[in-house]
Amino acid sequence: MTYFDHAATTPIHPQVIETMTNLMPTLFGNPSSIHQYGRAASEKLMAARQVIAESLAVQPHEIIFNGGGTEGDNTALISTALARKEQGRHIITTQIEHPAILQTAAFLEQQGFEFTYLSVDQSGMIDLEAFKQALREDTILVSVMFANNETGNLMPIKEIGAILQTHPAYFHTDAVQAFGKVPIHPYELGIDLLSVSAHKINGPKGTGFLFKRDGLQLPALLHGGEQEEKRRAGTENLISICGMATAVTINNEESQQAHTIKYQKFADTVKAILDEEEVTYHLNGNQQAKMPHILNLAFPGVDNQMILMHMDLKGFAISTGSACTAGNVDPSHVLIAMYGENSPYIRESIRISFGLGNTQEEVETFAHQLSASVKRLQKKAFTNNKDSQS
Ligand code: PLP
């Protein structure tokens, strides 16, 4: 099998496995304990925090370890809502966020908060003028994802941060897909809160962190022990956090450039082979402002589930969108936001997402196999269509 679904999750990098398995036998102390076992654990935790803080050019105490992207997103929204409800009840987000944001928004709506969901154009980008118009005196939070998990589009985070310099609303970004792929410096971008998940960067699942800018007053979501300076109770997932720090190092800014060049070549290869094979396709997303490791394509006349099954049988794992909705095949809310619910692209689109372990040879073989499957399916769809018309 060849894995091309890295936007859903990534395999754990061998160096991360090494870090974790080396530490596991001895590093079992509770970082809150005072004895030597505890101190050894606490030192490792501090070192991991330092590595992660440096990757964002922030202070170590601004990193709150947690259970991953969903927890970071929930905390950013719910804690801000609780902390700032006296200042206002209006929150701005977008229609293309991950369910970790959209479902939390739905929950907060039930608690009396009001949301504006910014729409996107056909390329999947929000409009900054519409954002400015949506901002109100009682807006307490703006949550816009850094990069979209289905198209790879990079949102205008710097511009939003600049606009919010003169507005008291907090600025949260779900950076789960972008962290480790593009440089992110929250202070330069005006970001107050940022969620990250380790399993998207070749780290372990169920671990991540929330960056919270110094001075921001937010109540904890989880109550209990005094871990993470009372901002997130619960004994830290130490071994995974150490693994995450190694994953962060592997995906540091220097290597990001090389990875980007590699993924761009992969994406260009797929497109070139599809062109060569004269396959009809449509590129989803903003080709001028996206991360190259995600390639989202529609094949007119072909059901995306059929393509997915064909490719699976041929040994390639791809996706039709977000995997986080546990095996369901609901139409993508991102593509609906882009094209409207009646667009055929919604049922014709697939997502290919490259990762560190993929090779040029794998990509070429895949693209040829994909072309063959799509051509066969397109021909079948065309014949069926003609039969039904005659
Ligand atoms: N946000 C985005 C953009 C994602 O792609 C995902 C996972 O797919 C999440 C949040 C959820 O992260 P986690 O799986 O760590 O809870």
Side-chain angles (χ1 to χ4, degrees), residues 1 308-316:
M1 282 297 289
L308 195 136
M309 282 186 312
H310 264 234
M311 297 318 290
D312 192 43
L313 286 173
K314 289 177 171 182
F316 298 98

Side-chain angles (χ1 to χ4, degrees), residues 68-70 73 98 100 145 149 174 176-177 197 199-200 324:
T70 301
D73 288 351
H98 188 270
M145 68 199 324
N149 46 306
D174 172 340
V176 167
Q177 292 289 338
S197 178
H199 77 95
K200 307 285 182 181
C324 294

Side-chain angles (χ1 to χ4, degrees), residues 125-145:
M125 299 301 279
I126 57 166
D127 174 23
L128 284 171
E129 277 312 309
F131 166 63
K132 280 188 206 161
Q133 275 166 27
L135 257 184
R136 310 193 315 215
E137 239 172 64
D138 63 339
T139 307
I140 51 169
L141 174 69
V142 174
S143 181
V144 174
M145 68 199 324

